[in-house]
Amino acid sequence: MFLKKQLVRKHGKTYTYYRIVSSYVDEQGRRRHRTEKYLGALSEEELIRIRGELQGRKAYRPAMPEVQAASSEITYLFQSLHRLNYAPRSPKEWNVTASDMVLLVREGSADIHTHAQKYSLQAGMAMYAPAGCGMYIMNNADRPLRMDRITFFPHTPHLPGNSSYPPGQSPLHQEGIIPLAAPGRLLGLADELAEAATSSGPHKSIRTTLAFYQWLAALVKLEPAALQQESGDWMESALPYIRDHYWEDLTRDQLAFLYGVSPEHFSRLFKRDTGCSFTDYVCRIRIRKAQELLQLHPHKMMNEIASLTGFHSEHYFSRKFKQMIGTAPSVYRSLPKSYAALSSYITPAMLKLGVKPNIGVLEPWMKEQLSEAKNMLIVDAPITDDPATLDKLTSAEPDLLLIEQYQKQEDLLREYGPVCVIPDADDDWRPPLLFLANAIGRNNEAFTWMNRFEQRLAEARQLLAPLIKRQETVTLFKIVSDKLYAYGNSTSMGGLLLYKELGLTPSPGVREQLTEAGLPNKEVPADALASYDADHIFLFDYRSIWYPDKPASLQSAAWQQLKAVRHGRVYTPNPDLYYGYDPLSLELQLEETLRLLTSP
């Protein structure tokens, strides 16, 4: 495992975040990277310490940390066990776990989508999710789905009240499916844990704790670490280094010296792990980047593209390009292009601009709204390396794969074609749309749509003028799991449209705690509701069977005292419509907002 840093730009500032990454070889023999833990911003002292810990890992270690690790003195404390039942073909629901969690499937099958991965679970399988992990859960089968949801949290005895992992300490397991040696025993121990947790008597706490540790001991097992790959850690760093420095004068001898191995040893192991020589690998990356530049920068000269991609002459660049792609760069640039739109923002935006991608991602409600999407090849997000998704990508043969910035999947997807990354919206929906339009050659269509939408916004502001003049306030609330969140001037849940485009007045809490603080959302407990008091409340309900009851905030006396609640101005629109900021979502958000605020 090694540290990987990432530069993230937020609100005009650049931040450096770190994560712990490990490498593995997939079923096709390709080397992959996966994130073990997100660390966030680190001080120089923390960087030195964590690097030292990673370098000092032993060759034999537990597949998952022991229930109590002596080195960090971490133990785990049981929190709850819930039995979940999903009806056949139940719609997907969004949940965020506040604690470390294991889902244990008893009957049926579950499809679970987290931010970066998709998982398919059958009866007798288990999945681990760390605290803060958000996920969609779906039962796409014709039979019920029954699962146990067991939550717990880490505890460091020498830090009273601490319920998080110390810096550098990995969670109990990486996000994903946990291989089970004896699923029947684990299910039986979960039954005993449920019985103990619901029992009564003076020894309930002892019985529950004992049952939890017996269950956890069956989940946690010691096994030898995989034998170190002969290439060791240097290959984990060499491939990202090449991808980050492809335009430089890279040589085999230079990288071999950099990682302390002989050139011959470097070549032999590089070809074994990647399936090609060092020279071919570098050339392939350079040509892929050239394909992107040719499509996304139509006015760049060929000699400039050659220089930007590490080729010393335009002639050599053209020869290698034609050798790998089958056509000269100038001809390639002029050919019609096909697209893979790999997010639910990009696909409807392209359709609104008059371009139908060969393959796309659409939410179910979008398919009903977009007749243009009929017969289009659809994949589920997030895009991962599962065979079904990759087979669809291969069959679509796109000339350009379009993804959003947050997806961070360029390395995976560049094996299937050139990649264009659409920037995040931040506080304005226009730049990403124009960037996308430029990438697919639809600038005129984008300006036409924007002008039409701006006109509709002006008409809407006229209709809402009395409300705006009276400075009637608006608060956007969202229910997720068992918590209530307020949303500010963000791309999610309609904040950009209501506050910025329509000019509606946010409540004091939204203005002070979110807009002025630069935060997209914030949890609102019952004792803080008064500062979010507003004349109108939009309540987006994402409740699930994890927490079927209303959050405590909505059951409080403070909620009942809010002006919008007392005057019947709490609106509960379809949250799916307000989630995004693509042209389709913006159109529907505007019409629904007008309907709600102007209805008698």
Side-chain angles (χ1 to χ4, degrees), residues 220-335:
V220 177
K221 58 184 179 180
L222 287 174
E223 64 184 22
L227 293 176
Q228 286 286 340
Q229 297 260 352
E230 189 182 354
S231 52
D233 291 336
W234 64 262
M235 185 64 80
E236 295 180 347
S237 302
L239 297 181
Y241 183 89
I242 294 169
R243 289 193 291 267
D244 292 341
H245 298 265
Y246 63 89
W247 64 87
E248 299 178 4
D249 290 329
L250 296 177
T251 66
R252 178 200 66 168
D253 291 2
Q254 172 193 352
L255 266 72
F257 176 79
L258 181 64
Y259 294 108
V261 296
S262 71
E264 295 75 16
H265 185 68
F266 181 95
S267 292
R268 179 170 59 86
L269 296 185
F270 191 94
K271 187 167 186 177
R272 187 199 67 184
D273 284 0
T274 64
C276 64
S277 69
F278 169 78
T279 302
D280 287 345
Y281 185 85
V282 174
C283 187
R284 188 171 65 190
I285 288 177
R286 288 171 172 171
I287 294 299
R288 188 67 88 204
K289 292 298 295 184
Q291 288 179 282
E292 295 170 8
L293 290 172
L294 286 165
Q295 295 186 69
L296 302 178
H297 299 277
H299 302 298
K300 284 190 182 295
M301 304 297 291
M302 289 301 167
N303 61 347
E304 185 180 2
I305 290 177
S307 176
L308 289 171
T309 52
F311 292 97
H312 291 296
S313 73
E314 180 182 341
H315 174 73
Y316 183 64
F317 161 63
S318 296
R319 183 162 64 86
K320 296 302 292 185
F321 190 96
K322 187 172 183 178
Q323 181 182 346
M324 293 188 67
I325 306 303
T327 184
S330 56
V331 176
Y332 174 84
R333 172 179 266 172
S334 62
L335 292 173

Side-chain angles (χ1 to χ4, degrees), residues 92-96 113-115 133-137 478-481 542-544 579:
K92 70 178 182 181
E93 61 176 29
W94 174 255
N95 291 284
V96 177
H113 295 186
T114 65
H115 182 68
C133 178
M135 65 186 69
Y136 283 108
I137 297 181
K478 178 178 176 179
I479 302 172
V480 178
S481 296
Y542 279 89
R543 265 181 297 175
S544 69
Y579 187 79

